[in-house]
């Protein structure tokens, strides 16, 4: 019995660490993401996806303001900058989108834009 307890403790600790690593992104709260569009930048990839999927800067800003954080698609520990995936429907045409933002200190970078309902053939690299 004395030999089993240390092994059991190690197994329990290992399972706990595994569960923590899987569910850690779920610990994102709305306070950890600043929804400030005063210093927003768009990557070349985001611009290409926006053009291909007909998503405007105004729609991106609206999703930034009103979208819901998808905790499973966000990574507050991402390097070099935490990433947050916000989802919602655009006001102009009701497109169901996910916009991925990287919060890099005072700069909010748009990484990509995804239409969740329609497949598009985009030639973005």
């Amino acid at each position: 019995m004395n030999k089993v307890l240390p092994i059991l403790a190690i197994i329990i600790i290992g399972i706990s660490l595994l569960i923590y690593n899987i569910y850690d992104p779920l610990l994102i709260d709305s306070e950890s993401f600043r929804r400030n569009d005063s210093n927003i930048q768009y990557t070349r990839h985001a611009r290409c996806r926006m053009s291909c999927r007909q998503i405007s800067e105004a729609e991106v800003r609206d999703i930034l303001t009103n979208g819901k954080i998808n905790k499973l698609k966000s990574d507050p520990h991402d390097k070099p900058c935490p990433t947050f995936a916000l989802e919602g429907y655009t006001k102009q045409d009701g497109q169901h989108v996910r916009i991925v933002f990287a919060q890099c200190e005072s700069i909010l970078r748009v990484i990509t834009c995804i239409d969740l309902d329609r497949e598009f053939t985009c030639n973005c690299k």
Side-chain angles (χ1 to χ4, degrees):
M1 185 68 168
N2 287 340
K3 293 180 181 180
V4 175
L5 287 177
I7 294 172
L8 187 59
I10 291 171
I11 291 172
I12 291 171
I13 290 170
I15 291 171
S16 298
L17 288 172
L18 179 64
I19 290 170
Y20 175 78
N21 285 329
I22 290 171
Y23 289 103
D24 186 44
L26 298 177
L27 300 176
I28 300 169
D29 61 7
S30 57
E31 297 300 315
S32 62
F33 180 64
R34 295 185 301 274
R35 296 176 187 244
N36 184 357
D37 68 350
S38 65
N39 200 5
I40 194 168
Q41 293 180 354
Y42 296 83
T43 64
R44 185 176 350 178
H45 177 80
R47 289 270 186 210
C48 181
R49 296 290 182 179
M50 289 167 64
S51 175
C52 176
R53 294 172 173 142
Q54 300 170 351
I55 300 170
S56 70
E57 285 187 22
E59 290 172 314
V60 169
R61 285 191 303 275
D62 183 58
I63 295 299
L64 174 62
T65 302
N66 300 308
K68 294 188 182 193
I69 295 175
N70 180 328
K71 295 177 181 182
L72 294 175
K73 298 291 183 179
S74 299
D75 186 357
H77 305 295
D78 208 356
K79 301 291 182 206
C81 305
T83 53
F84 297 91
L86 277 73
E87 297 179 2
Y89 292 88
T90 61
K91 288 185 179 175
Q92 288 180 312
D93 58 3
Q95 199 173 1
H96 189 202
V97 297
R98 175 184 303 135
I99 313 292
V100 179
F101 297 90
Q103 186 172 298
C104 303
E105 298 190 23
S106 64
I107 297 169
L108 188 61
R109 198 166 279 127
V110 180
I111 304 300
T112 194
C113 301
I114 302 162
D115 184 304
L116 295 171
D117 295 331
R118 248 176 80 195
E119 276 294 319
F120 285 83
T121 303
C122 302
N123 294 319
C124 304
K125 296 181 182 182

